Amino acid sequence: MSGLLKSSIGRKVAMALSGLFLVVFLTQHFVINSTSVLAPELFNTWSHFMGTNGLVQFALQPVLILGVIFHFVMGFVLEIQNRKARPINYVNYKGSANASWMSRNMIISGLVILAFLGLHFYDFWIHEITIKYVEGDMTGLVNPNDPSSGFRYLEETVHKFESPVRVGLYVISFVLLALHLWHGFASTFQSVGFNNKYAAGLSKFAKVWSIAIPVGFICIAVYHHFNQIPH
C-alpha cells in the first residue's frame, strides 16, 4: 500500500477507491434516512440496530471514519501535487476551456462538504455517543423507564430540522455534494482504468446518481422541516 501511494497513478486509484467506498455508504445512508419519511417505525428499528450492533459500532463505523479522513487527505495531497506540476500561471490560460468549474474547484466543494460533515457529526453522531456512552442509556427509548414509549430516533431527527437555518445549510451542502459527485463519481471509473463498452453507461449512471441521492436528502430535510410546522 505504501508503495502504491508513492506514485501519482497509485494516489489517484486510492482516491477513486475510497470515493467508491463512500458512495456505497452514502447510498445505504440515504435508504435508511428515506424510511423516516416512508416508514417511520422501520426507521426507528433500523436506527436502533445500527446504533447498538457491535459489528456496526466497533468495526464498520471506525472503517467509515478512516475512509472519510483518507479520502479528504488524499484529495489535498493530489491538489498540492497538481499545483506543483504547473508552477507557472499562464497569462492566457482559460481553465473553463479544458475543464468544468467543478473539476477545477473540487478542493473548494470538498472543504464545504467537510464542514458540513462536522455539523452532521455534531448533530447526530456526537449526540448519540453522549447518550449511549456518557449518560449510559443503551435502550434507544424516548423514556428509558417506559418500554412502551417507543424509540427516540425519529423524534430526534425531526427536531434537528426544525430550524430553517440548519435546513438551509443542509440544502446548500447537498447541492455542493451533488456538484462534487457529478465530477468525482463519474471520473472514478476512468481513474481505476475501467474503459470498456460499459464505461459510457456507468458514467451516465454515476451522473444520474450524483443528482438523485443529494436531491433525495434535500427532500427528506425539507419534508421534516415543513411537516412539523403547526398549521
Side-chain angles (χ1 to χ4, degrees), residues 22-31 33-34 174-175 177-178 181 185 205-220:
L22 295 179
V23 161
V24 172
F25 162 74
L26 195 62
T27 304
Q28 172 259 332
H29 193 43
F30 171 73
V31 170
N33 281 18
S34 66
F174 277 114
V175 168
L177 177 62
L181 290 167
F185 190 13
F205 165 78
K207 289 183 176 181
V208 171
W209 183 96
S210 299
I211 298 299
I213 296 297
V215 167
F217 276 110
I218 289 173
C219 289
I220 292 170

Side-chain angles (χ1 to χ4, degrees), residues 28 32 35 40-61 128 132-133 138-141 151-154:
Q28 172 259 332
I32 292 177
T35 61
E41 290 305 317
L42 180 59
F43 174 76
N44 271 331
T45 300
W46 278 1
S47 296
H48 182 66
F49 171 79
M50 298 292 285
T52 56
N53 182 269
L55 178 62
V56 173
Q57 290 294 298
F58 303 111
L60 298 182
Q61 189 167 256
E128 188 67 14
K132 288 189 299 187
Y133 301 115
M138 300 293 291
T139 65
L141 298 173
F151 290 130
R152 57 181 165 78
Y153 306 105
L154 179 66

